[in-house]
Amino acid sequence: MNSEPTTLLQGTLDLLILKSLVAGERQGLGISRRIQQITGGTFSVKPGSLFPALHRMEEQGWISSFWGDSENNRRAKYYLLTKPGLKQLQVETKRWGRVSWAIAQALGAS
């Protein structure tokens, strides 16, 4: 994979955040790092995009949060995937499957 960061397509950030939380709770920086990891370095999410999305997703009930101590004993906010968030991840995954199939079809057309 190309390790050069790419701009996120509209709608992908929610999907990637939800996916990054499947394995368990993470703080904001951990979510950003996980997204970079699972996309092979293709997507790098900056705090100015990440935290407003996390706030919005928490308001929608897709994630919840709590305050805890980080690895270096600093106070940090941790985020968790909720049951509605898991359902939304399934919806987003199906939607992106359809979008990627359609794009592949269009690129393969003569």
Side-chain angles (χ1 to χ4, degrees):
M1 276 252 136
N2 185 354
S3 62
E4 183 178 319
T6 302
T7 303
L8 282 169
L9 298 174
Q10 185 168 349
T12 57
L13 184 56
D14 289 359
L15 172 64
L16 293 172
I17 289 171
L18 294 170
K19 182 64 178 175
S20 73
L21 292 172
V22 167
E25 65 196 41
R26 293 184 191 277
Q27 55 181 311
L29 182 58
I31 292 169
S32 180
R33 286 180 180 155
R34 181 66 179 150
I35 290 171
Q36 193 165 12
Q37 179 186 36
I38 64 177
T39 64
T42 300
F43 296 120
S44 177
V45 182
K46 304 294 182 208
S49 299
L50 179 64
F51 289 102
L54 289 169
H55 181 72
R56 178 180 41 76
M57 293 171 74
E58 192 169 10
E59 285 182 343
Q60 291 171 321
W62 298 346
I63 61 174
S64 61
S65 66
F66 67 93
W67 287 97
D69 291 331
S70 68
E71 298 150 1
N72 56 4
N73 292 325
R74 291 191 175 179
R75 198 155 158 73
K77 194 171 191 179
Y78 287 83
Y79 299 90
L80 298 161
L81 186 62
T82 62
K83 285 183 183 181
L86 186 57
K87 185 175 181 179
Q88 186 63 29
L89 174 59
Q90 293 168 345
V91 168
E92 295 288 328
T93 299
K94 286 180 186 175
R95 185 171 70 89
W96 277 102
R98 288 191 310 270
V99 168
S100 64
W101 177 85
I103 294 295
Q105 291 296 111
L107 292 174
S110 50

